[in-house]
Amino acid sequence: MENTNLIAAKKAFETFCAMLDEREWHYQKDEEKLTVDAVARGDDLPINLRVVVDPKCQLVLLYSPLDFTIPEEQIAETAIVLCIINDNLIDGNFDIDITTGRLCYRMSMSYRESLLSAEAYAYFIAYAIEVVDAYNDKLLMAAKGMLSPEELLGNTEDE
Amino acid sequence: MEDENRLIAEETFDTLCGTLDEMNWNCDIDREKLQIATRIKSDGLPFNLRMVMDVEREFMLLYATFDFNIPVDKIAECALCLCMINDNLVDGTFDLNVTSGRLRFRMSLSFRDGLVSAESCGGFLALAVHIINEYSEKLQMAAAGQLSAAEMLRYTNDEY
């Protein structure tokens, strides 16, 4: 079973890398750990992408760690900001490690009993970039104490 | 393309219904809206489950809502608790509406490539129920002021 899972994981990894190659992405891959690291250009801030194929959970996991951390004094307020953002998302979510202030967007796709296509992976990446690009500047403002939950609530209601 | 997506969504919906049937779950099925609602009473707190096919985005969305809300004076503490829990999850997320105090669990499964097997649906549901059962009681305690963010941190760090 473990071997079957690994074969499926490697197939998912190959399809994912082929999709990136086809779109002429520059990226680093680790075929042992089944990870891919890349940077996308957002409208304002660069977007880091780490994709991990997890044979045990049969998931393709996408993590987009943000380039900045939340200072300790802004953690409590940012936690509320994250709740407001996440509650408005259809897929994926922003995580914060409240002990370090590290922020990361996370999304997953299951390949259990199925072979995901390059098109599905392309959508997966495009959606993640769109979401991170929409909110990374707001989170940077929250990190600097320049955006309160009340202000963000006003913005999201407008949208 | 829209028709094709609808057909795939309907096929996935049928697979999901079949899976739920095999699991002996009693559900309200709305085939027009491609939506299923049920009430789960398992190991943890009871909760309401709604699954809906998003035809346009080609994925199945699962939402779980609970019988309790987060009171206004506990929103800040619970927001921290939620962040700790979410940071520990590999899949799915707990959402909090900070104005109403509504708590929910959300998870998705793509059917972009057409075929979602019964095994896949079963695994998806089992994982969602497992995560909800793991954390719902703790969140209820946080809502009642019986569990602090510091205690939640110890729980999520496996110190209990």
Side-chain angles (χ1 to χ4, degrees):
Chain A
M1 186 59 168
E2 206 171 295
N3 198 31
T4 314
N5 281 1
L6 194 57
I7 290 168
K10 283 184 175 169
K11 179 73 189 158
F13 183 73
E14 282 168 17
T15 309
F16 185 81
C17 291
M19 179 277 292
L20 292 179
D21 289 336
E22 200 178 296
R23 287 157 178 80
E24 298 180 350
W25 276 63
H26 296 284
Y27 63 95
Q28 288 82 49
K29 66 177 173 181
D30 185 328
E31 294 184 31
E32 285 265 301
K33 293 179 180 165
L34 302 178
T35 61
V36 166
D37 288 291
V39 180
R41 193 188 299 269
D43 280 342
D44 30 41
L45 301 167
I47 296 167
N48 304 308
L49 298 166
R50 161 158 277 230
V51 174
V52 182
V53 180
D54 183 335
K56 193 179 154 207
C57 299
Q58 299 178 68
L59 290 172
V60 179
L61 299 160
L62 182 146
Y63 298 100
S64 179
L66 304 195
D67 274 337
F68 53 91
T69 54
I70 306 295
E72 200 181 339
E73 67 274 16
Q74 298 297 338
I75 294 274
E77 193 136 285
T78 305
I80 300 176
V81 164
L82 281 188
C83 286
I84 297 168
I85 293 173
N86 287 338
D87 199 48
N88 274 292
L89 297 180
I90 298 281
D91 205 359
N93 73 299
F94 285 92
D95 288 329
I96 183 170
D97 180 330
I98 65 145
T99 55
T100 63
R102 171 195 51 76
L103 279 171
C104 188
Y105 176 74
R106 165 173 61 87
M107 200 173 150
S108 66
M109 261 181 111
S110 169
Y111 62 86
R112 187 191 292 253
E113 301 283 327
S114 61
L115 288 174
L116 298 176
S117 68
E119 192 227 346
Y121 288 126
Y123 172 82
F124 182 58
I125 286 273
Y127 180 86
I129 291 171
E130 189 184 319
V131 172
V132 175
D133 204 26
Y135 291 106
N136 56 7
D137 54 338
K138 293 183 175 65
L139 287 165
L140 181 60
M141 286 171 72
K144 292 177 175 175
M146 292 160 60
L147 182 75
S148 68
E150 292 75 20
E151 287 167 319
L152 181 62
L153 269 176
N155 286 344
T156 50
E157 276 164 17
D158 291 345
E159 281 162 17
Chain B
M1 188 61 172
E2 209 172 295
D3 286 348
E4 195 182 321
N5 283 2
R6 173 81 195 182
L7 282 175
I8 296 168
E10 283 176 358
E11 196 179 317
T12 306
F13 187 74
D14 290 341
T15 305
L16 176 65
C17 291
T19 307
L20 293 168
D21 207 32
E22 270 182 30
M23 292 161 80
N24 293 320
W25 285 16
N26 291 319
C27 303
D28 293 328
I29 296 172
D30 186 334
R31 204 164 192 286
E32 190 59 41
K33 291 181 179 167
L34 297 178
Q35 188 170 293
I36 293 171
T38 187
R39 175 117 173 126
I40 308 286
K41 293 171 192 165
S42 56
D43 297 341
L45 297 175
F47 55 91
N48 298 312
L49 203 60
R50 187 168 71 89
M51 286 158 282
V52 59
M53 302 292 146
D54 187 325
V55 177
E56 191 194 330
R57 295 183 184 85
E58 297 173 77
F59 57 53
M60 180 197 306
L61 283 160
L62 174 149
Y63 296 107
T65 50
F66 304 92
D67 293 345
F68 62 95
N69 271 13
I70 308 296
V72 180
D73 61 322
K74 294 284 179 288
I75 293 282
E77 190 88 358
C78 285
L80 280 170
C81 291
L82 238 59
C83 288
M84 291 169 201
I85 292 171
N86 286 339
D87 197 42
N88 253 19
L89 299 180
V90 172
D91 204 358
T93 181
F94 284 92
D95 291 331
L96 170 64
N97 183 316
V98 301
T99 48
S100 67
R102 186 264 300 133
L103 188 68
R104 75 173 177 202
F105 178 75
R106 162 171 62 87
M107 204 164 134
S108 68
L109 180 67
S110 172
F111 55 82
R112 182 158 284 264
D113 287 317
L115 294 171
V116 173
S117 66
E119 288 80 6
S120 202
C121 283
F124 174 71
L125 288 169
L127 180 59
V129 170
H130 172 76
I131 295 169
I132 293 162
N133 283 339
E134 173 86 27
Y135 294 107
S136 58
E137 277 182 42
K138 295 282 180 253
L139 285 166
Q140 190 186 40
M141 287 171 72
Q146 295 165 357
L147 186 86
S148 67
E151 286 168 316
M152 183 65 90
L153 186 62
R154 285 167 57 199
Y155 179 73
T156 54
N157 285 343
D158 283 336
E159 288 176 26
Y160 281 116

mmCIF file of all heavy atoms in Angstrom, chain B residues 46-82:
data_model
loop_
_atom_site.group_PDB
_atom_site.id
_atom_site.type_symbol
_atom_site.label_atom_id
_atom_site.label_comp_id
_atom_site.label_asym_id
_atom_site.label_seq_id
_atom_site.Cartn_x
_atom_site.Cartn_y
_atom_site.Cartn_z
ATOM 1 N N PRO B 46 -22.504 17.294 18.438
ATOM 2 C CA PRO B 46 -23.279 17.197 17.189
ATOM 3 C C PRO B 46 -23.045 18.443 16.332
ATOM 4 O O PRO B 46 -22.747 19.517 16.873
ATOM 5 C CB PRO B 46 -24.723 17.122 17.679
ATOM 6 C CG PRO B 46 -24.715 17.665 19.047
ATOM 7 C CD PRO B 46 -23.351 17.435 19.619
ATOM 8 N N PHE B 47 -23.129 18.277 15.029
ATOM 9 C CA PHE B 47 -22.971 19.437 14.143
ATOM 10 C C PHE B 47 -23.768 19.230 12.859
ATOM 11 O O PHE B 47 -24.164 18.109 12.531
ATOM 12 C CB PHE B 47 -21.493 19.722 13.823
ATOM 13 C CG PHE B 47 -20.741 18.552 13.232
ATOM 14 C CD1 PHE B 47 -20.670 18.372 11.859
ATOM 15 C CD2 PHE B 47 -20.085 17.641 14.048
ATOM 16 C CE1 PHE B 47 -19.969 17.299 11.309
ATOM 17 C CE2 PHE B 47 -19.384 16.565 13.504
ATOM 18 C CZ PHE B 47 -19.321 16.391 12.140
ATOM 19 N N ASN B 48 -24.031 20.329 12.184
ATOM 20 C CA ASN B 48 -24.751 20.266 10.913
ATOM 21 C C ASN B 48 -23.747 20.298 9.771
ATOM 22 O O ASN B 48 -22.813 21.101 9.787
ATOM 23 C CB ASN B 48 -25.701 21.465 10.783
ATOM 24 C CG ASN B 48 -26.739 21.462 11.870
ATOM 25 O OD1 ASN B 48 -27.378 20.451 12.144
ATOM 26 N ND2 ASN B 48 -26.889 22.592 12.551
ATOM 27 N N LEU B 49 -23.967 19.424 8.818
ATOM 28 C CA LEU B 49 -23.051 19.330 7.689
ATOM 29 C C LEU B 49 -23.800 19.673 6.407
ATOM 30 O O LEU B 49 -24.926 19.200 6.191
ATOM 31 C CB LEU B 49 -22.537 17.882 7.618
ATOM 32 C CG LEU B 49 -21.225 17.615 6.911
ATOM 33 C CD1 LEU B 49 -20.078 18.366 7.562
ATOM 34 C CD2 LEU B 49 -20.926 16.117 6.947
ATOM 35 N N ARG B 50 -23.199 20.517 5.604
ATOM 36 C CA ARG B 50 -23.788 20.851 4.297
ATOM 37 C C ARG B 50 -22.705 20.662 3.250
ATOM 38 O O ARG B 50 -21.585 21.147 3.402
ATOM 39 C CB ARG B 50 -24.280 22.301 4.307
ATOM 40 C CG ARG B 50 -25.044 22.710 3.070
ATOM 41 C CD ARG B 50 -25.746 24.039 3.299
ATOM 42 N NE ARG B 50 -24.811 25.150 3.368
ATOM 43 C CZ ARG B 50 -24.403 25.858 2.311
ATOM 44 N NH1 ARG B 50 -24.861 25.569 1.107
ATOM 45 N NH2 ARG B 50 -23.555 26.851 2.454
ATOM 46 N N MET B 51 -23.053 19.940 2.205
ATOM 47 C CA MET B 51 -22.100 19.747 1.106
ATOM 48 C C MET B 51 -22.746 20.240 -0.168
ATOM 49 O O MET B 51 -23.902 19.912 -0.446
ATOM 50 C CB MET B 51 -21.724 18.283 0.979
ATOM 51 C CG MET B 51 -20.781 17.824 2.083
ATOM 52 S SD MET B 51 -20.827 16.069 2.336
ATOM 53 C CE MET B 51 -22.324 15.862 3.258
ATOM 54 N N VAL B 52 -22.014 21.023 -0.900
ATOM 55 C CA VAL B 52 -22.584 21.614 -2.108
ATOM 56 C C VAL B 52 -21.570 21.555 -3.247
ATOM 57 O O VAL B 52 -20.367 21.699 -3.024
ATOM 58 C CB VAL B 52 -23.070 23.069 -1.814
ATOM 59 C CG1 VAL B 52 -21.947 23.945 -1.316
ATOM 60 C CG2 VAL B 52 -23.753 23.702 -2.997
ATOM 61 N N MET B 53 -22.087 21.289 -4.446
ATOM 62 C CA MET B 53 -21.212 21.253 -5.623
ATOM 63 C C MET B 53 -21.097 22.661 -6.187
ATOM 64 O O MET B 53 -22.124 23.282 -6.510
ATOM 65 C CB MET B 53 -21.799 20.341 -6.716
ATOM 66 C CG MET B 53 -22.028 18.924 -6.289
ATOM 67 S SD MET B 53 -20.476 18.063 -5.986
ATOM 68 C CE MET B 53 -20.996 17.017 -4.638
ATOM 69 N N ASP B 54 -19.888 23.157 -6.306
ATOM 70 C CA ASP B 54 -19.658 24.453 -6.950
ATOM 71 C C ASP B 54 -19.345 24.154 -8.415
ATOM 72 O O ASP B 54 -18.215 23.790 -8.765
ATOM 73 C CB ASP B 54 -18.494 25.176 -6.253
ATOM 74 C CG ASP B 54 -18.300 26.600 -6.752
ATOM 75 O OD1 ASP B 54 -18.526 26.834 -7.955
ATOM 76 O OD2 ASP B 54 -17.915 27.468 -5.958
ATOM 77 N N VAL B 55 -20.369 24.281 -9.250
ATOM 78 C CA VAL B 55 -20.248 23.880 -10.659
ATOM 79 C C VAL B 55 -19.200 24.741 -11.363
ATOM 80 O O VAL B 55 -18.373 24.231 -12.125
ATOM 81 C CB VAL B 55 -21.611 23.993 -11.374
ATOM 82 C CG1 VAL B 55 -21.487 23.652 -12.852
ATOM 83 C CG2 VAL B 55 -22.637 23.081 -10.705
ATOM 84 N N GLU B 56 -19.229 26.023 -11.113
ATOM 85 C CA GLU B 56 -18.324 26.944 -11.804
ATOM 86 C C GLU B 56 -16.862 26.662 -11.459
ATOM 87 O O GLU B 56 -16.004 26.585 -12.339
ATOM 88 C CB GLU B 56 -18.692 28.381 -11.417
ATOM 89 C CG GLU B 56 -17.996 29.428 -12.263
ATOM 90 C CD GLU B 56 -18.102 30.811 -11.642
ATOM 91 O OE1 GLU B 56 -19.104 31.083 -10.954
ATOM 92 O OE2 GLU B 56 -17.170 31.602 -11.852
ATOM 93 N N ARG B 57 -16.586 26.485 -10.186
ATOM 94 C CA ARG B 57 -15.189 26.283 -9.774
ATOM 95 C C ARG B 57 -14.804 24.814 -9.770
ATOM 96 O O ARG B 57 -13.654 24.470 -9.502
ATOM 97 C CB ARG B 57 -14.955 26.887 -8.393
ATOM 98 C CG ARG B 57 -15.116 28.399 -8.363
ATOM 99 C CD ARG B 57 -14.798 28.937 -6.989
ATOM 100 N NE ARG B 57 -15.034 30.356 -6.892
ATOM 101 C CZ ARG B 57 -16.213 30.907 -6.613
ATOM 102 N NH1 ARG B 57 -17.260 30.145 -6.390
ATOM 103 N NH2 ARG B 57 -16.349 32.216 -6.549
ATOM 104 N N GLU B 58 -15.749 23.957 -10.014
ATOM 105 C CA GLU B 58 -15.529 22.511 -10.121
ATOM 106 C C GLU B 58 -14.944 21.913 -8.841
ATOM 107 O O GLU B 58 -13.937 21.218 -8.872
ATOM 108 C CB GLU B 58 -14.624 22.193 -11.320
ATOM 109 C CG GLU B 58 -15.241 22.601 -12.651
ATOM 110 C CD GLU B 58 -14.269 22.446 -13.799
ATOM 111 O OE1 GLU B 58 -14.069 21.304 -14.228
ATOM 112 O OE2 GLU B 58 -13.716 23.462 -14.247
ATOM 113 N N PHE B 59 -15.550 22.234 -7.732
ATOM 114 C CA PHE B 59 -15.217 21.486 -6.532
ATOM 115 C C PHE B 59 -16.401 21.344 -5.585
ATOM 116 O O PHE B 59 -17.403 22.045 -5.710
ATOM 117 C CB PHE B 59 -13.960 21.992 -5.821
ATOM 118 C CG PHE B 59 -13.929 23.428 -5.388
ATOM 119 C CD1 PHE B 59 -14.930 23.988 -4.603
ATOM 120 C CD2 PHE B 59 -12.853 24.219 -5.731
ATOM 121 C CE1 PHE B 59 -14.860 25.295 -4.174
ATOM 122 C CE2 PHE B 59 -12.786 25.536 -5.319
ATOM 123 C CZ PHE B 59 -13.791 26.070 -4.545
ATOM 124 N N MET B 60 -16.254 20.344 -4.710
ATOM 125 C CA MET B 60 -17.278 20.062 -3.714
ATOM 126 C C MET B 60 -16.879 20.808 -2.442
ATOM 127 O O MET B 60 -15.728 20.739 -2.024
ATOM 128 C CB MET B 60 -17.281 18.552 -3.448
ATOM 129 C CG MET B 60 -18.291 18.094 -2.431
ATOM 130 S SD MET B 60 -17.890 16.423 -1.829
ATOM 131 C CE MET B 60 -17.773 15.486 -3.338
ATOM 132 N N LEU B 61 -17.822 21.531 -1.880
ATOM 133 C CA LEU B 61 -17.532 22.275 -0.660
ATOM 134 C C LEU B 61 -18.265 21.649 0.508
ATOM 135 O O LEU B 61 -19.445 21.288 0.383
ATOM 136 C CB LEU B 61 -17.998 23.717 -0.815
ATOM 137 C CG LEU B 61 -17.089 24.616 -1.661
ATOM 138 C CD1 LEU B 61 -17.858 25.823 -2.149
ATOM 139 C CD2 LEU B 61 -15.882 25.047 -0.863
ATOM 140 N N LEU B 62 -17.569 21.493 1.591
ATOM 141 C CA LEU B 62 -18.180 20.953 2.812
ATOM 142 C C LEU B 62 -18.133 22.047 3.878
ATOM 143 O O LEU B 62 -17.082 22.653 4.103
ATOM 144 C CB LEU B 62 -17.386 19.722 3.248
ATOM 145 C CG LEU B 62 -17.735 19.053 4.577
ATOM 146 C CD1 LEU B 62 -17.446 17.554 4.487
ATOM 147 C CD2 LEU B 62 -16.998 19.648 5.761
ATOM 148 N N TYR B 63 -19.287 22.294 4.474
ATOM 149 C CA TYR B 63 -19.365 23.258 5.570
ATOM 150 C C TYR B 63 -19.980 22.561 6.785
ATOM 151 O O TYR B 63 -21.027 21.920 6.650
ATOM 152 C CB TYR B 63 -20.263 24.443 5.213
ATOM 153 C CG TYR B 63 -19.771 25.308 4.074
ATOM 154 C CD1 TYR B 63 -20.388 25.262 2.831
ATOM 155 C CD2 TYR B 63 -18.705 26.189 4.252
ATOM 156 C CE1 TYR B 63 -19.950 26.059 1.773
ATOM 157 C CE2 TYR B 63 -18.260 26.996 3.208
ATOM 158 C CZ TYR B 63 -18.885 26.923 1.973
ATOM 159 O OH TYR B 63 -18.450 27.714 0.942
ATOM 160 N N ALA B 64 -19.362 22.710 7.925
ATOM 161 C CA ALA B 64 -19.950 22.208 9.171
ATOM 162 C C ALA B 64 -20.219 23.400 10.074
ATOM 163 O O ALA B 64 -19.361 24.271 10.233
ATOM 164 C CB ALA B 64 -18.987 21.249 9.856
ATOM 165 N N THR B 65 -21.417 23.460 10.613
ATOM 166 C CA THR B 65 -21.730 24.527 11.568
ATOM 167 C C THR B 65 -22.172 23.900 12.888
ATOM 168 O O THR B 65 -22.614 22.745 12.926
ATOM 169 C CB THR B 65 -22.837 25.460 11.038
ATOM 170 O OG1 THR B 65 -23.931 24.665 10.592
ATOM 171 C CG2 THR B 65 -22.326 26.324 9.891
ATOM 172 N N PHE B 66 -22.067 24.665 13.940
ATOM 173 C CA PHE B 66 -22.241 24.114 15.284
ATOM 174 C C PHE B 66 -23.445 24.725 15.994
ATOM 175 O O PHE B 66 -24.015 25.707 15.514
ATOM 176 C CB PHE B 66 -20.951 24.350 16.084
ATOM 177 C CG PHE B 66 -19.755 23.767 15.390
ATOM 178 C CD1 PHE B 66 -18.992 24.541 14.511
ATOM 179 C CD2 PHE B 66 -19.411 22.434 15.554
ATOM 180 C CE1 PHE B 66 -17.906 23.998 13.825
ATOM 181 C CE2 PHE B 66 -18.322 21.885 14.874
ATOM 182 C CZ PHE B 66 -17.574 22.671 14.014
ATOM 183 N N ASP B 67 -23.805 24.139 17.120
ATOM 184 C CA ASP B 67 -24.991 24.606 17.861
ATOM 185 C C ASP B 67 -24.682 25.793 18.770
ATOM 186 O O ASP B 67 -25.562 26.260 19.482
ATOM 187 C CB ASP B 67 -25.549 23.461 18.729
ATOM 188 C CG ASP B 67 -26.108 22.342 17.870
ATOM 189 O OD1 ASP B 67 -26.320 22.574 16.668
ATOM 190 O OD2 ASP B 67 -26.318 21.233 18.401
ATOM 191 N N PHE B 68 -23.444 26.217 18.787
ATOM 192 C CA PHE B 68 -23.085 27.354 19.641
ATOM 193 C C PHE B 68 -22.407 28.430 18.796
ATOM 194 O O PHE B 68 -21.820 28.134 17.753
ATOM 195 C CB PHE B 68 -22.154 26.907 20.773
ATOM 196 C CG PHE B 68 -20.840 26.342 20.297
ATOM 197 C CD1 PHE B 68 -19.707 27.147 20.194
ATOM 198 C CD2 PHE B 68 -20.727 24.999 19.930
ATOM 199 C CE1 PHE B 68 -18.505 26.631 19.730
ATOM 200 C CE2 PHE B 68 -19.518 24.479 19.468
ATOM 201 C CZ PHE B 68 -18.410 25.288 19.365
ATOM 202 N N ASN B 69 -22.511 29.661 19.256
ATOM 203 C CA ASN B 69 -21.815 30.784 18.634
ATOM 204 C C ASN B 69 -20.730 31.280 19.593
ATOM 205 O O ASN B 69 -20.747 30.950 20.775
ATOM 206 C CB ASN B 69 -22.794 31.929 18.361
ATOM 207 C CG ASN B 69 -23.432 31.795 16.991
ATOM 208 O OD1 ASN B 69 -23.346 30.744 16.345
ATOM 209 N ND2 ASN B 69 -24.068 32.852 16.547
ATOM 210 N N ILE B 70 -19.852 32.089 19.070
ATOM 211 C CA ILE B 70 -18.837 32.690 19.934
ATOM 212 C C ILE B 70 -19.381 34.042 20.421
ATOM 213 O O ILE B 70 -19.706 34.914 19.601
ATOM 214 C CB ILE B 70 -17.511 32.925 19.159
ATOM 215 C CG1 ILE B 70 -17.038 31.630 18.455
ATOM 216 C CG2 ILE B 70 -16.429 33.474 20.100
ATOM 217 C CD1 ILE B 70 -16.666 30.483 19.329
ATOM 218 N N PRO B 71 -19.526 34.202 21.747
ATOM 219 C CA PRO B 71 -20.038 35.489 22.248
ATOM 220 C C PRO B 71 -19.062 36.634 21.926
ATOM 221 O O PRO B 71 -17.858 36.396 21.792
ATOM 222 C CB PRO B 71 -20.141 35.281 23.760
ATOM 223 C CG PRO B 71 -19.660 33.921 24.054
ATOM 224 C CD PRO B 71 -19.189 33.268 22.821
ATOM 225 N N VAL B 72 -19.609 37.829 21.810
ATOM 226 C CA VAL B 72 -18.804 39.005 21.424
ATOM 227 C C VAL B 72 -17.557 39.155 22.296
ATOM 228 O O VAL B 72 -16.461 39.423 21.789
ATOM 229 C CB VAL B 72 -19.662 40.297 21.538
ATOM 230 C CG1 VAL B 72 -18.853 41.525 21.152
ATOM 231 C CG2 VAL B 72 -20.877 40.199 20.632
ATOM 232 N N ASP B 73 -17.726 38.957 23.601
ATOM 233 C CA ASP B 73 -16.577 39.175 24.494
ATOM 234 C C ASP B 73 -15.524 38.070 24.410
ATOM 235 O O ASP B 73 -14.472 38.171 25.044
ATOM 236 C CB ASP B 73 -17.069 39.336 25.951
ATOM 237 C CG ASP B 73 -17.795 38.086 26.440
ATOM 238 O OD1 ASP B 73 -18.524 37.470 25.650
ATOM 239 O OD2 ASP B 73 -17.621 37.717 27.621
ATOM 240 N N LYS B 74 -15.795 37.030 23.642
ATOM 241 C CA LYS B 74 -14.817 35.935 23.507
ATOM 242 C C LYS B 74 -14.229 35.867 22.083
ATOM 243 O O LYS B 74 -13.437 34.973 21.784
ATOM 244 C CB LYS B 74 -15.495 34.590 23.830
ATOM 245 C CG LYS B 74 -15.928 34.449 25.272
ATOM 246 C CD LYS B 74 -14.718 34.167 26.164
ATOM 247 C CE LYS B 74 -15.097 34.043 27.607
ATOM 248 N NZ LYS B 74 -15.478 35.287 28.255
ATOM 249 N N ILE B 75 -14.642 36.798 21.211
ATOM 250 C CA ILE B 75 -14.182 36.756 19.815
ATOM 251 C C ILE B 75 -12.650 36.832 19.727
ATOM 252 O O ILE B 75 -12.028 36.036 19.021
ATOM 253 C CB ILE B 75 -14.811 37.917 18.980
ATOM 254 C CG1 ILE B 75 -16.332 37.726 18.823
ATOM 255 C CG2 ILE B 75 -14.124 38.068 17.616
ATOM 256 C CD1 ILE B 75 -16.784 36.729 17.797
ATOM 257 N N ALA B 76 -12.043 37.756 20.449
ATOM 258 C CA ALA B 76 -10.595 37.953 20.355
ATOM 259 C C ALA B 76 -9.839 36.699 20.797
ATOM 260 O O ALA B 76 -8.914 36.240 20.112
ATOM 261 C CB ALA B 76 -10.180 39.151 21.197
ATOM 262 N N GLU B 77 -10.258 36.118 21.917
ATOM 263 C CA GLU B 77 -9.590 34.917 22.441
ATOM 264 C C GLU B 77 -9.810 33.735 21.480
ATOM 265 O O GLU B 77 -8.882 32.970 21.197
ATOM 266 C CB GLU B 77 -10.169 34.587 23.833
ATOM 267 C CG GLU B 77 -9.417 33.527 24.596
ATOM 268 C CD GLU B 77 -8.279 34.101 25.445
ATOM 269 O OE1 GLU B 77 -8.066 35.310 25.390
ATOM 270 O OE2 GLU B 77 -7.602 33.315 26.133
ATOM 271 N N CYS B 78 -11.042 33.608 20.978
ATOM 272 C CA CYS B 78 -11.351 32.490 20.070
ATOM 273 C C CYS B 78 -10.654 32.655 18.722
ATOM 274 O O CYS B 78 -10.319 31.658 18.072
ATOM 275 C CB CYS B 78 -12.857 32.337 19.891
ATOM 276 S SG CYS B 78 -13.626 31.608 21.348
ATOM 277 N N ALA B 79 -10.459 33.898 18.279
ATOM 278 C CA ALA B 79 -9.727 34.122 17.021
ATOM 279 C C ALA B 79 -8.312 33.553 17.151
ATOM 280 O O ALA B 79 -7.805 32.895 16.234
ATOM 281 C CB ALA B 79 -9.681 35.612 16.691
ATOM 282 N N LEU B 80 -7.699 33.784 18.315
ATOM 283 C CA LEU B 80 -6.355 33.228 18.555
ATOM 284 C C LEU B 80 -6.393 31.694 18.574
ATOM 285 O O LEU B 80 -5.546 31.039 17.983
ATOM 286 C CB LEU B 80 -5.807 33.745 19.891
ATOM 287 C CG LEU B 80 -5.209 35.146 19.897
ATOM 288 C CD1 LEU B 80 -4.948 35.605 21.329
ATOM 289 C CD2 LEU B 80 -3.915 35.205 19.095
ATOM 290 N N CYS B 81 -7.407 31.165 19.248
ATOM 291 C CA CYS B 81 -7.549 29.698 19.323
ATOM 292 C C CYS B 81 -7.706 29.092 17.926
ATOM 293 O O CYS B 81 -7.100 28.071 17.591
ATOM 294 C CB CYS B 81 -8.767 29.317 20.176
ATOM 295 S SG CYS B 81 -8.563 29.680 21.922
ATOM 296 N N LEU B 82 -8.525 29.743 17.105
ATOM 297 C CA LEU B 82 -8.770 29.260 15.741
ATOM 298 C C LEU B 82 -7.482 29.262 14.921
ATOM 299 O O LEU B 82 -7.208 28.328 14.174
ATOM 300 C CB LEU B 82 -9.807 30.159 15.058
ATOM 301 C CG LEU B 82 -11.058 29.467 14.551
ATOM 302 C CD1 LEU B 82 -11.791 28.780 15.661
ATOM 303 C CD2 LEU B 82 -11.971 30.457 13.858
#
